[in-house]
Amino acid sequence: MPHTLALVGIGEIARNQHVPALQGTGAFTLAATASRNAGVEGIDGYRNLASLLDARADVTCVSLCTPPQFRYEDARLALEQGRHVMLEKPPGATLSEVEALIDLARARGVTLYASWHSRAAAAVPAARDWLADRRVRNVSMTWKEDVRHWHPGQDWIWQAGGLGVFDPGINGFSILTAILPHPLRLTAAELRFPENRDTPVAADLAFAGPDGLRAQAALDWLETGEPKWDIVVATESGTLTLSKGGAEMAVDGVPVPVGENREYPNLYARFAELIDRGERDADLAPLRLVADAFMLGRRVAAPAFRW
Ligand code: NAP
């Protein structure tokens, strides 16, 4: 029997990825939506999650696609009512609120899945396996895209808690923290804030790891043309390149076949697996790196940003 699921926050990612992924899975039935201004044709729609949960006791799972600043209360409500919850990335606006959700899910005995869609990209498992027994020397991450193309008119990303350029950058961090055999420690950061916004438009970061490992990340939201979502890992025995956000992989310049990129179908398969096993999966490592960057980062003024 498929799980009965409600989708909350019908915007870009819900429409482009969640709805098609749910339609293609046998594990979930999309039974209802909660969104103030939008819905999905043919699906029972509510203005908010509270009224949905009151009306639909049959909904056992809730998937939250709202921006991170507006997700905590809904997640808490659903968990308190014993529903399983999946969170879009980043899982919340602060580490503490997600930790509180983890505790609540554990106490209620339900699943909390903090999803990281880039970790579900095709090349990530192969990259992790290739790196598992290698000594990493240097890591270079480039995450550059055009905010006007990828997030047109989304004001929440420029408001406190919206992460700014770390909204895409955290996707790269979610890959780094999944594939590297050792954790990275942020050592320096420079964050460039448009003078009229609360969140950064670009960032340069430096990290260290064990045995002299060094890493750098360059994030920029004003890159026009093709996005650059690349990670290069130099080891003592070869260089791994991940490109297209983890969809493609090469070793010493030679492409490695990794199969079709199916990020969102993979996420829902994982959510179903966690529910069936009675488990939780909420890794905060990518969000912690972002928090560290805001703590340690030097703030530099950048020109005002206008759409
Ligand atoms: P979005 O389209 O701007 O927002 C999703 C929906 O959330 C909105 O349409 C809105 O629907 C609802 N919402 C509820 N409260 C809101 C509030 N106070 N302010 C603004 N919207 C509110 O954003 P999105 O691009 O789908 O991103 C949502 C999440 O998915 C983010 O965490 C993002 O990082 C993640 N994500 C996005 C992408 C992408 O390419 N866009 C890719 C992967 C992951 P109603 O007005 O109907 O309530």
Side-chain angles (χ1 to χ4, degrees), residues 177-202:
T177 50
I179 65 172
L180 293 177
H182 309 290
L184 291 177
R185 181 173 55 84
L186 187 84
T187 54
E190 183 176 290
L191 314 184
R192 293 190 281 287
F193 284 76
E195 60 186 25
N196 61 341
R197 304 284 174 170
D198 294 335
T199 59
V201 66

mmCIF file of all heavy atoms in Angstrom, residues 177-202:
data_model
loop_
_atom_site.group_PDB
_atom_site.id
_atom_site.type_symbol
_atom_site.label_atom_id
_atom_site.label_comp_id
_atom_site.label_asym_id
_atom_site.label_seq_id
_atom_site.Cartn_x
_atom_site.Cartn_y
_atom_site.Cartn_z
ATOM 1 N N THR A 177 30.355 16.777 2.094
ATOM 2 C CA THR A 177 30.262 16.095 3.389
ATOM 3 C C THR A 177 29.820 14.642 3.229
ATOM 4 O O THR A 177 29.934 13.869 4.176
ATOM 5 C CB THR A 177 29.292 16.843 4.329
ATOM 6 O OG1 THR A 177 28.063 17.101 3.636
ATOM 7 C CG2 THR A 177 29.878 18.170 4.796
ATOM 8 N N ALA A 178 29.348 14.290 2.034
ATOM 9 C CA ALA A 178 28.967 12.882 1.800
ATOM 10 C C ALA A 178 30.105 12.072 1.200
ATOM 11 O O ALA A 178 30.207 10.866 1.434
ATOM 12 C CB ALA A 178 27.751 12.818 0.869
ATOM 13 N N ILE A 179 30.982 12.714 0.405
ATOM 14 C CA ILE A 179 31.980 11.916 -0.333
ATOM 15 C C ILE A 179 33.353 11.894 0.322
ATOM 16 O O ILE A 179 34.121 10.960 0.094
ATOM 17 C CB ILE A 179 32.129 12.400 -1.800
ATOM 18 C CG1 ILE A 179 32.683 13.823 -1.873
ATOM 19 C CG2 ILE A 179 30.805 12.276 -2.544
ATOM 20 C CD1 ILE A 179 33.027 14.282 -3.303
ATOM 21 N N LEU A 180 33.686 12.931 1.098
ATOM 22 C CA LEU A 180 35.049 12.974 1.648
ATOM 23 C C LEU A 180 35.173 12.025 2.836
ATOM 24 O O LEU A 180 34.276 11.961 3.676
ATOM 25 C CB LEU A 180 35.413 14.400 2.076
ATOM 26 C CG LEU A 180 35.540 15.408 0.930
ATOM 27 C CD1 LEU A 180 35.836 16.798 1.478
ATOM 28 C CD2 LEU A 180 36.619 14.986 -0.065
ATOM 29 N N PRO A 181 36.275 11.307 2.915
ATOM 30 C CA PRO A 181 36.437 10.361 4.022
ATOM 31 C C PRO A 181 36.618 11.048 5.375
ATOM 32 O O PRO A 181 36.468 10.412 6.410
ATOM 33 C CB PRO A 181 37.676 9.557 3.645
ATOM 34 C CG PRO A 181 38.285 10.190 2.456
ATOM 35 C CD PRO A 181 37.359 11.224 1.916
ATOM 36 N N HIS A 182 36.947 12.367 5.365
ATOM 37 C CA HIS A 182 37.169 13.098 6.620
ATOM 38 C C HIS A 182 36.329 14.372 6.618
ATOM 39 O O HIS A 182 36.115 14.964 5.568
ATOM 40 C CB HIS A 182 38.636 13.511 6.756
ATOM 41 C CG HIS A 182 39.579 12.386 6.559
ATOM 42 N ND1 HIS A 182 39.699 11.367 7.467
ATOM 43 C CD2 HIS A 182 40.420 12.099 5.543
ATOM 44 C CE1 HIS A 182 40.593 10.502 7.017
ATOM 45 N NE2 HIS A 182 41.037 10.921 5.851
ATOM 46 N N PRO A 183 35.927 14.842 7.793
ATOM 47 C CA PRO A 183 35.200 16.120 7.838
ATOM 48 C C PRO A 183 36.114 17.296 7.536
ATOM 49 O O PRO A 183 37.323 17.234 7.772
ATOM 50 C CB PRO A 183 34.677 16.185 9.283
ATOM 51 C CG PRO A 183 35.429 15.179 10.054
ATOM 52 C CD PRO A 183 36.061 14.205 9.110
ATOM 53 N N LEU A 184 35.522 18.366 6.984
ATOM 54 C CA LEU A 184 36.272 19.589 6.735
ATOM 55 C C LEU A 184 35.968 20.589 7.842
ATOM 56 O O LEU A 184 34.861 20.632 8.363
ATOM 57 C CB LEU A 184 35.855 20.207 5.395
ATOM 58 C CG LEU A 184 36.251 19.454 4.132
ATOM 59 C CD1 LEU A 184 35.682 20.170 2.914
ATOM 60 C CD2 LEU A 184 37.766 19.317 4.026
ATOM 61 N N ARG A 185 36.956 21.417 8.147
ATOM 62 C CA ARG A 185 36.812 22.458 9.163
ATOM 63 C C ARG A 185 37.031 23.800 8.483
ATOM 64 O O ARG A 185 38.067 24.010 7.838
ATOM 65 C CB ARG A 185 37.867 22.199 10.242
ATOM 66 C CG ARG A 185 37.898 23.140 11.398
ATOM 67 C CD ARG A 185 38.901 22.612 12.429
ATOM 68 N NE ARG A 185 40.227 22.383 11.869
ATOM 69 C CZ ARG A 185 41.153 23.315 11.725
ATOM 70 N NH1 ARG A 185 40.906 24.544 12.110
ATOM 71 N NH2 ARG A 185 42.333 23.045 11.198
ATOM 72 N N LEU A 186 36.037 24.678 8.594
ATOM 73 C CA LEU A 186 36.172 26.002 7.977
ATOM 74 C C LEU A 186 37.258 26.793 8.698
ATOM 75 O O LEU A 186 37.263 26.855 9.932
ATOM 76 C CB LEU A 186 34.845 26.757 8.058
ATOM 77 C CG LEU A 186 34.835 28.072 7.305
ATOM 78 C CD1 LEU A 186 34.522 27.848 5.827
ATOM 79 C CD2 LEU A 186 33.831 29.057 7.901
ATOM 80 N N THR A 187 38.166 27.402 7.937
ATOM 81 C CA THR A 187 39.242 28.181 8.563
ATOM 82 C C THR A 187 39.155 29.669 8.247
ATOM 83 O O THR A 187 39.691 30.489 8.992
ATOM 84 C CB THR A 187 40.622 27.663 8.130
ATOM 85 O OG1 THR A 187 40.672 27.653 6.694
ATOM 86 C CG2 THR A 187 40.881 26.266 8.656
ATOM 87 N N ALA A 188 38.521 30.030 7.144
ATOM 88 C CA ALA A 188 38.383 31.448 6.791
ATOM 89 C C ALA A 188 37.270 31.600 5.770
ATOM 90 O O ALA A 188 36.983 30.668 5.017
ATOM 91 C CB ALA A 188 39.692 31.988 6.212
ATOM 92 N N ALA A 189 36.649 32.777 5.779
ATOM 93 C CA ALA A 189 35.590 33.024 4.790
ATOM 94 C C ALA A 189 35.454 34.517 4.566
ATOM 95 O O ALA A 189 35.669 35.317 5.479
ATOM 96 C CB ALA A 189 34.257 32.451 5.274
ATOM 97 N N GLU A 190 35.110 34.849 3.321
ATOM 98 C CA GLU A 190 34.786 36.242 3.000
ATOM 99 C C GLU A 190 33.421 36.216 2.319
ATOM 100 O O GLU A 190 33.237 35.512 1.315
ATOM 101 C CB GLU A 190 35.839 36.830 2.058
ATOM 102 C CG GLU A 190 35.585 38.284 1.758
ATOM 103 C CD GLU A 190 36.695 38.874 0.898
ATOM 104 O OE1 GLU A 190 37.825 39.041 1.400
ATOM 105 O OE2 GLU A 190 36.417 39.146 -0.291
ATOM 106 N N LEU A 191 32.466 36.947 2.906
ATOM 107 C CA LEU A 191 31.091 36.941 2.384
ATOM 108 C C LEU A 191 30.781 38.323 1.841
ATOM 109 O O LEU A 191 30.981 39.325 2.543
ATOM 110 C CB LEU A 191 30.091 36.587 3.503
ATOM 111 C CG LEU A 191 30.431 35.396 4.411
ATOM 112 C CD1 LEU A 191 29.281 35.146 5.387
ATOM 113 C CD2 LEU A 191 30.695 34.147 3.593
ATOM 114 N N ARG A 192 30.290 38.377 0.609
ATOM 115 C CA ARG A 192 29.983 39.674 -0.002
ATOM 116 C C ARG A 192 28.469 39.916 0.016
ATOM 117 O O ARG A 192 27.712 39.177 -0.611
ATOM 118 C CB ARG A 192 30.555 39.724 -1.413
ATOM 119 C CG ARG A 192 32.083 39.717 -1.381
ATOM 120 C CD ARG A 192 32.727 40.013 -2.700
ATOM 121 N NE ARG A 192 32.737 38.870 -3.603
ATOM 122 C CZ ARG A 192 33.515 37.804 -3.470
ATOM 123 N NH1 ARG A 192 34.359 37.705 -2.443
ATOM 124 N NH2 ARG A 192 33.461 36.822 -4.336
ATOM 125 N N PHE A 193 28.074 40.928 0.780
ATOM 126 C CA PHE A 193 26.652 41.249 0.974
ATOM 127 C C PHE A 193 26.282 42.465 0.123
ATOM 128 O O PHE A 193 26.875 43.544 0.327
ATOM 129 C CB PHE A 193 26.368 41.614 2.444
ATOM 130 C CG PHE A 193 26.331 40.453 3.383
ATOM 131 C CD1 PHE A 193 27.495 39.833 3.799
ATOM 132 C CD2 PHE A 193 25.119 39.990 3.877
ATOM 133 C CE1 PHE A 193 27.460 38.766 4.692
ATOM 134 C CE2 PHE A 193 25.069 38.930 4.772
ATOM 135 C CZ PHE A 193 26.237 38.309 5.182
ATOM 136 N N PRO A 194 25.295 42.342 -0.781
ATOM 137 C CA PRO A 194 24.793 43.556 -1.441
ATOM 138 C C PRO A 194 24.315 44.545 -0.377
ATOM 139 O O PRO A 194 23.709 44.132 0.623
ATOM 140 C CB PRO A 194 23.619 43.046 -2.283
ATOM 141 C CG PRO A 194 23.900 41.584 -2.489
ATOM 142 C CD PRO A 194 24.603 41.124 -1.236
ATOM 143 N N GLU A 195 24.577 45.825 -0.611
ATOM 144 C CA GLU A 195 24.305 46.814 0.444
ATOM 145 C C GLU A 195 22.819 46.907 0.791
ATOM 146 O O GLU A 195 22.474 47.391 1.864
ATOM 147 C CB GLU A 195 24.846 48.183 0.031
ATOM 148 C CG GLU A 195 24.218 48.709 -1.237
ATOM 149 C CD GLU A 195 24.873 49.986 -1.710
ATOM 150 O OE1 GLU A 195 26.047 50.225 -1.384
ATOM 151 O OE2 GLU A 195 24.199 50.741 -2.430
ATOM 152 N N ASN A 196 21.925 46.393 -0.093
ATOM 153 C CA ASN A 196 20.491 46.489 0.171
ATOM 154 C C ASN A 196 19.858 45.137 0.539
ATOM 155 O O ASN A 196 18.648 44.973 0.470
ATOM 156 C CB ASN A 196 19.766 47.061 -1.061
ATOM 157 C CG ASN A 196 19.946 46.173 -2.297
ATOM 158 O OD1 ASN A 196 20.876 45.357 -2.338
ATOM 159 N ND2 ASN A 196 19.069 46.323 -3.270
ATOM 160 N N ARG A 197 20.698 44.141 0.878
ATOM 161 C CA ARG A 197 20.153 42.792 1.165
ATOM 162 C C ARG A 197 20.736 42.233 2.467
ATOM 163 O O ARG A 197 21.803 42.645 2.902
ATOM 164 C CB ARG A 197 20.487 41.830 0.021
ATOM 165 C CG ARG A 197 20.003 42.301 -1.341
ATOM 166 C CD ARG A 197 18.509 42.117 -1.506
ATOM 167 N NE ARG A 197 18.047 42.697 -2.757
ATOM 168 C CZ ARG A 197 16.841 42.536 -3.263
ATOM 169 N NH1 ARG A 197 15.944 41.800 -2.617
ATOM 170 N NH2 ARG A 197 16.500 43.104 -4.392
ATOM 171 N N ASP A 198 20.024 41.241 3.022
ATOM 172 C CA ASP A 198 20.445 40.637 4.299
ATOM 173 C C ASP A 198 21.331 39.403 4.135
ATOM 174 O O ASP A 198 21.826 38.860 5.134
ATOM 175 C CB ASP A 198 19.209 40.198 5.101
ATOM 176 C CG ASP A 198 18.372 41.369 5.544
ATOM 177 O OD1 ASP A 198 18.939 42.477 5.667
ATOM 178 O OD2 ASP A 198 17.155 41.185 5.749
ATOM 179 N N THR A 199 21.451 38.891 2.919
ATOM 180 C CA THR A 199 22.205 37.642 2.713
ATOM 181 C C THR A 199 23.251 37.845 1.616
ATOM 182 O O THR A 199 23.107 38.735 0.771
ATOM 183 C CB THR A 199 21.257 36.481 2.314
ATOM 184 O OG1 THR A 199 20.564 36.843 1.113
ATOM 185 C CG2 THR A 199 20.267 36.163 3.430
ATOM 186 N N PRO A 200 24.316 37.032 1.597
ATOM 187 C CA PRO A 200 25.432 37.271 0.671
ATOM 188 C C PRO A 200 25.130 36.839 -0.769
ATOM 189 O O PRO A 200 24.411 35.874 -1.002
ATOM 190 C CB PRO A 200 26.568 36.430 1.261
ATOM 191 C CG PRO A 200 25.906 35.372 2.068
ATOM 192 C CD PRO A 200 24.610 35.934 2.551
ATOM 193 N N VAL A 201 25.761 37.540 -1.701
ATOM 194 C CA VAL A 201 25.627 37.219 -3.127
ATOM 195 C C VAL A 201 26.824 36.394 -3.605
ATOM 196 O O VAL A 201 26.760 35.769 -4.668
ATOM 197 C CB VAL A 201 25.482 38.510 -3.960
ATOM 198 C CG1 VAL A 201 26.767 39.351 -3.903
ATOM 199 C CG2 VAL A 201 25.073 38.236 -5.396
ATOM 200 N N ALA A 202 27.904 36.389 -2.829
ATOM 201 C CA ALA A 202 29.098 35.632 -3.212
ATOM 202 C C ALA A 202 29.906 35.325 -1.956
ATOM 203 O O ALA A 202 29.748 35.999 -0.927
ATOM 204 C CB ALA A 202 29.947 36.432 -4.200
#
